[in-house]
Amino acid sequence: MIKVLLARLHQGHRTMRYPDAPPPDMPERFRGRPLIDATKCPDGCRKCVEICPTQAITITDKPRVDLGNCLFCTDCHDACPQGAISHSRDYRLSVRQRSDLVVDSVQELVLAKALDGQLRKLFGRSLKLRQVSAGGCNACEADTNVLGTLAWDLGRFGIQFVASPRHADGLLITGAVSKNMSLALKKTYDAVAQPKIVIAVGACAISGGPYLNHDEVLNGAASVVPVDLYIPGCPPHPLTILDGLIRLLGKLENRKEESSAPARRIG
């Protein structure tokens, strides 16, 4: 026992201090919000639109990206002959409304606002979530599980995952919501007492992801249950998930927000 205690003292403090301190550095390979410099787009060029596997990019008067559909791959970047597409380094991507995920090249992302009134009073200090994998590949599930490790310690914010929807305040949903999982998801949602919240994590849970419009999927959680928070990515980085959760609970208010690299505005 003495050896265990000495080893723990030697290890020191392992949990990150965010949001009371700047967030950890993002890995070099991290890709945040896709950015399109419309001034570099040649007239009539639609290569990014044609190459996108999930129809995330549209061009009307200006290019727009649906972050809910986006897989954050590099297909559009690689196909663009003018190098007009890049990725920001900003991990902050969560929103409250599905429509807020559709942005153009100069539009600021409307980041998630905190729960209102009674919901915030109920859940702001203690939030129990039942995680539902409704046809996921286990990538979003894995990054969600990371939040329970020593370095992240999700419990310090009062957020915990529970085994039963009867003990939960809401659902955290991953996966494209297959037809075979739709009834199970609906029954799980119904088993959570009112009031309750629903969080969709990852492109699959938001829009169907790479399975968009497949005959056997329902294109995301909102087709079955109401969604209160959308966290895009394929999969979202654990810091993106954590940022969304604590925004929803109002734990970033009155703090000086710092990003590892703020999103650029280009147009």
Side-chain angles (χ1 to χ4, degrees):
M1 184 65 181
I2 294 296
K3 290 183 178 180
V4 173
L5 293 174
L6 290 174
R8 186 66 189 88
L9 288 172
H10 178 72
Q11 291 171 357
H13 192 279
R14 293 293 186 91
T15 304
M16 71 176 67
R17 300 188 183 277
Y18 175 82
D20 293 323
D25 293 334
M26 304 304 286
E28 183 179 346
R29 62 184 179 277
F30 173 76
R31 293 189 291 269
R33 170 183 168 181
L35 303 171
I36 303 178
D37 187 346
T39 63
K40 294 182 179 179
C41 290
D43 292 337
C45 177
R46 298 178 58 83
K47 289 186 177 181
C48 58
V49 176
E50 295 165 359
I51 198 72
C52 181
T54 57
Q55 306 163 34
I57 302 177
T58 57
I59 299 178
T60 50
D61 56 324
K62 61 181 71 173
R64 287 183 170 82
V65 179
D66 185 342
L67 299 177
N69 284 25
C70 183
L71 303 183
F72 294 76
C73 67
T74 60
D75 285 359
C76 57
H77 171 273
D78 296 341
C80 180
Q82 303 299 323
I85 303 177
S86 62
H87 288 267
S88 83
R89 302 284 298 166
D90 198 340
Y91 60 87
R92 300 170 299 176
L93 296 168
S94 303
V95 302
R96 295 292 305 276
Q97 302 294 327
R98 175 67 178 89
S99 57
D100 289 337
L101 289 173
V102 182
V103 291
D104 60 38
S105 57
V106 298
Q107 186 176 349
E108 294 286 350
L109 197 61
V110 181
L111 294 173
K113 302 296 183 183
L115 292 167
D116 297 325
Q118 187 65 15
L119 285 179
R120 182 171 175 180
K121 184 177 180 180
L122 284 172
F123 302 142
R125 298 180 64 184
S126 177
L127 177 65
K128 312 299 183 185
L129 296 173
R130 175 66 169 95
Q131 199 274 322
V132 179
S133 179
C137 70
N138 208 38
C140 291
E141 293 85 346
D143 277 359
T144 299
N145 288 341
V146 164
L147 297 179
T149 61
L150 182 65
W152 297 84
D153 190 15
L154 188 63
R156 62 196 163 109
F157 301 105
I159 307 172
Q160 294 179 322
F161 291 101
V162 295
S164 170
R166 299 289 186 186
H167 302 155
D169 301 310
L171 303 180
L172 186 148
I173 303 170
T174 56
V177 187
S178 65
K179 288 182 178 179
N180 288 338
M181 277 298 298
S182 62
L183 180 59
L185 176 58
K186 183 62 166 61
K187 286 186 174 181
T188 304
Y189 175 80
D190 291 340
V192 180
Q194 293 283 6
K196 49 193 168 187
I197 61 176
V198 174
I199 301 163
V201 174
C204 286
I206 295 174
S207 67
Y211 311 103
L212 177 70
N213 295 328
H214 191 283
D215 290 343
E216 294 302 319
V217 303
L218 301 178
N219 291 348
S223 62
V224 179
V225 295
V227 176
D228 300 285
L229 179 68
Y230 296 89
I231 306 179
C234 188
H237 190 278
L239 187 57
T240 301
I241 302 173
L242 176 62
D243 178 77
L245 293 176
I246 61 179
R247 281 183 189 279
L248 188 68
L249 299 183
K251 295 182 181 295
L252 281 179
E253 294 181 1
N254 301 320
R255 299 176 189 265
K256 182 181 178 181
E257 287 198 54
E258 295 189 49
S259 168
S260 55
R264 293 180 291 124
R265 297 189 64 180
I266 54 179

